[in-house]
């Protein structure tokens, strides 16, 4: 690929051959150091030497395991991805990030177990990383993190009128599709969640017409989920008369 007229070219040629050699060792194997039934893809890199299955590779410092649909008893969900790094830390990927630039929001909570039940079970958010003091969740691919701040914490509410409702502030949530909005409202009703503001349509007949609902998590943090009847009008600029 490169002329042999200089030391730099020689180095570049050597790098190209090394790259081709690396790609040629990118292989599949039917077994792995764990007992999970999966297909393994191994990435050659610098670092340590590890025996994977029946082969040892110099420089392998990470392995990516993709569990086939219907296989892998250690996976929380069929088809999840497990990665094994040089530290031998394994993790399961239960959710993909939202397209574009996913937002990150940190929430104070008074109890992580109770937060896990609410966000994981009631809301159906996939759990990510966690420690003894905090937990990550995927809210439709956006990252929310529950931080334990003390057993006495409860969100302090302020209120502001919006289209006849006393809206609690601060609050957070998502702009869903109309179908997603009603599915979530039904899910919350079946779980016995008490609404601060019941699901209803506001700004009727206006460019900002939308479905909305407000409720709290167990630590008193306020959530609003909405659904624009015309999503293209999410940022329509006009003066709203209360």
């Amino acid at each position: 690929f490169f002329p042999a007229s200089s030391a730099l070219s020689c180095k570049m040629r050597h790098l190209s051959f090394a790259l081709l050699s690396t790609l040629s060792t990118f292989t599949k194997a039917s077994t792995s150091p764990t007992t999970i039934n999966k297909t393994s893809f191994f990435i050659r890199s610098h670092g340590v030497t590890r025996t994977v299955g029946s082969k040892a590779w110099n420089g392998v410092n990470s392995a990516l395991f993709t569990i086939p649909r219907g296989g892998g008893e250690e996976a929380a969900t069929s088809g999840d991805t497990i990665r094994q790094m040089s530290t031998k830390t394994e993790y399961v990927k239960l959710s993909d990030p939202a397209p574009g630039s996913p937002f990150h929001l940190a929430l104070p909570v008074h109890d992580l177990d109770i937060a896990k039940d609410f966000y994981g079970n009631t809301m159906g958010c996939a759990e990510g990383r966690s420690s003894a003091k905090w937990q990550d969740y995927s809210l439709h691919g956006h990252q929310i993190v529950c931080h334990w701040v003390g057993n006495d914490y409860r969100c302090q509410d302020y209120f502001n009128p919006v289209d006849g409702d006393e809206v609690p502030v601060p609050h957070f949530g998502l702009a869903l599709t109309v179908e997603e909005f009603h599915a979530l409202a039904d899910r919350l009703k079946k779980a016995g969640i008490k609404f601060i503001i019941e699901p209803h349509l506001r700004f009727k007949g206006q460019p900002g017409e939308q479905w909305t609902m407000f409720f709290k998590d167990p630590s008193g943090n306020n959530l609003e989920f909405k659904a624009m009847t015309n999503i293209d009008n999410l940022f329509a600029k006009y003066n709203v008369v209360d």
Side-chain angles (χ1 to χ4, degrees), residues 45-60:
S45 181
H46 67 280
V48 301
T49 299
R50 174 180 299 139
T51 300
V52 182
S54 60
K55 297 182 179 180
W57 299 103
N58 288 325
V60 173

Side-chain angles (χ1 to χ4, degrees), residues 82-146:
I82 291 182
R83 294 176 183 266
Q84 185 179 53
M85 307 306 289
S86 60
T87 59
K88 297 185 179 179
T89 298
E90 290 189 354
Y91 62 92
V92 179
K93 192 177 84 169
L94 300 177
S95 178
D96 290 322
S101 302
F103 74 74
H104 163 77
L105 176 67
L107 300 172
V109 299
H110 78 284
D111 188 293
L112 287 177
D113 289 334
I114 294 175
K116 181 191 288 274
D117 181 63
F118 177 79
Y119 286 101
N121 295 327
T122 301
M123 294 292 295
C125 298
E127 187 175 345
R129 295 168 297 155
S130 64
S131 78
K133 300 292 186 180
W134 52 268
Q135 299 165 342
D136 276 2
Y137 291 95
S138 169
L139 184 64
H140 281 240
H142 301 280
Q143 185 191 43
I144 59 175
V145 187
C146 296

Side-chain angles (χ1 to χ4, degrees), residues 168-191:
V169 181
H171 62 258
F172 74 97
L174 293 176
L176 305 172
T177 66
V178 173
E179 293 77 12
E180 290 170 338
F181 175 90
H182 290 297
L184 177 59
D186 290 342
R187 180 186 184 112
L188 295 172
K189 290 176 182 177
K190 291 177 182 177

